[in-house]
Amino acid sequence: MLDVAGLEVAYGDYQVIWDVSLHVAAGEIVSVLGPNGAGKSTVLNTISGLCRPKAGRITFKGERIDGLPPYEIVGRRLAHIMERRRVFPYLTVRQNLWLGGYNPSARKERAQTLDFVFELFPRLEERESQLAHSLSGGEQQMLALGRGLMARPELLLVDEPLLGLAPAVAADMMRILRQINETGVSILFIEQNVQTALSIADRGYVLEGGHLVLDGTAEELLASADVKRIFLGG
C-alpha cells in the first residue's frame, strides 16, 4: 500500500533524514520507533506532504505522491493525525469532525462516517456541541483520531497517540487503534514506548539520528539487543 524508498529530507542546508526506506502492506499496523530527535515525525510529515523530500520516492497504492500537496494526498485516502492533537480549539466537536470530511473524496459520505466515529467514540457524541479546547487530553486525542477518520482513509498516519495520556486512557487508545485497524484501515504510527508500540504492531522500524538502523517483526525487535541499547543505553 505504502512504499517509501531512499527518502532524504533537509530543512534548508540541515539534513535530518538519510536514505530511509519502509513499507506498509494493506491491513498492517506498523510502528516507527526511535529516541527524541531521531526524525520520526519528519518521515510522517514528508509522507503526508507537509515536508518536501530532498531525494527518494513515496508511492501510495501504486502511484507516486511525493511532491503532491497535502490536500491531494488526503483525497487519495491517506490521513495524518499529527502530534499533540492540534484540534481547532474554538470550534465544537461536531465542527471539528465535519471539517475532517471536507475533502471531495469523503464529503458525500460525511453523515455515515460521522455515525461510525460516534459509534467508535461515544464520548464525542455526548460532547458534540462542546468547544474542543474544553475537552480533556484523552478526549482531544479521540477527536483528532475521529477527525482523521472522517477523511475515510485507507492508511492512517498517527504521531504519538499516547503522548500525555494517563495509563488507563492510553490503554483504551491502543484498543481503539486495534479496532480501527480491524475495519480495514492500515496504520503507520509513532510511539516512544517500545513495549506498548510493539504490543499491537505487526512490524516496526527503528530510526536513530535520521538513519534507519533496524527493522523487523514486533517479536524480533522486542528481543533485539540493539533496541535495548538504543532505548536503554549501554
Side-chain angles (χ1 to χ4, degrees):
M1 176 173 281
L2 176 74
D3 187 63
V4 177
L7 186 67
E8 302 203 354
V9 185
Y11 297 120
D13 294 329
Y14 183 66
Q15 187 157 343
V16 293
I17 299 295
W18 286 264
D19 195 25
V20 167
S21 297
L22 59 85
H23 71 275
V24 181
E28 276 195 312
I29 301 179
V30 177
S31 179
V32 180
L33 306 165
N36 285 331
K40 305 181 300 296
S41 293
T42 298
V43 170
L44 262 61
N45 290 345
T46 307
I47 294 170
S48 68
L50 296 172
C51 295
R52 291 295 179 95
K54 176 182 176 182
R57 296 170 62 94
I58 303 172
T59 306
F60 180 57
K61 296 191 297 184
E63 297 182 351
R64 286 191 69 169
I65 60 171
D66 49 284
L68 292 180
Y71 73 88
E72 285 194 24
I73 294 173
V74 173
R76 296 183 183 213
R77 307 288 190 180
L78 190 159
H80 184 185
I81 313 301
M82 298 185 71
E83 184 184 4
R84 302 186 186 278
R85 303 178 274 276
R86 308 196 192 204
V87 297
F88 297 103
Y90 293 102
L91 296 181
T92 66
V93 167
R94 187 183 183 90
Q95 287 168 334
N96 268 271
L97 292 172
W98 207 244
L99 282 171
Y102 181 78
N103 194 281
S105 67
R107 198 180 307 170
K108 62 184 178 183
E109 299 172 297
R110 273 195 291 192
Q112 301 97 301
T113 312
L114 186 65
D115 289 340
F116 167 71
V117 170
F118 281 157
E119 183 180 340
L120 195 63
F121 301 108
R123 203 173 304 176
L124 295 182
E125 186 172 20
E126 294 169 8
R127 290 157 171 72
E128 66 174 309
S129 299
Q130 197 168 319
L131 295 180
H133 75 84
S134 66
L135 302 177
S136 69
E139 290 165 347
Q140 287 188 24
Q141 186 62 67
M142 292 176 194
L143 180 56
L145 274 170
R147 188 178 60 191
L149 291 172
M150 288 294 295
R152 300 186 68 87
E154 295 176 37
L155 174 63
L156 192 62
L157 311 181
V158 191
D159 194 339
E160 298 221 35
L162 310 185
L163 185 66
L165 301 184
V169 179
D172 196 41
M173 192 61 61
M174 296 301 279
R175 177 189 60 79
I176 289 168
L177 286 175
R178 281 197 199 96
Q179 195 173 344
I180 291 169
N181 177 248
E182 287 166 2
T183 69
V185 179
S186 302
I187 297 174
L188 178 65
F189 77 105
I190 292 171
E191 175 51 41
Q192 292 284 353
N193 188 310
V194 176
Q195 195 83 29
T196 300
L198 295 178
S199 70
I200 70 162
D202 299 298
R203 296 184 299 106
Y205 294 90
V206 181
L207 295 179
E208 188 176 22
H211 297 267
L212 178 63
V213 294
L214 285 170
D215 68 274
T217 66
E219 293 79 10
E220 288 168 345
L221 293 178
L222 281 169
S224 168
D226 286 325
V227 168
K228 296 180 176 67
R229 173 188 61 79
I230 291 166
F231 289 94
L232 300 176

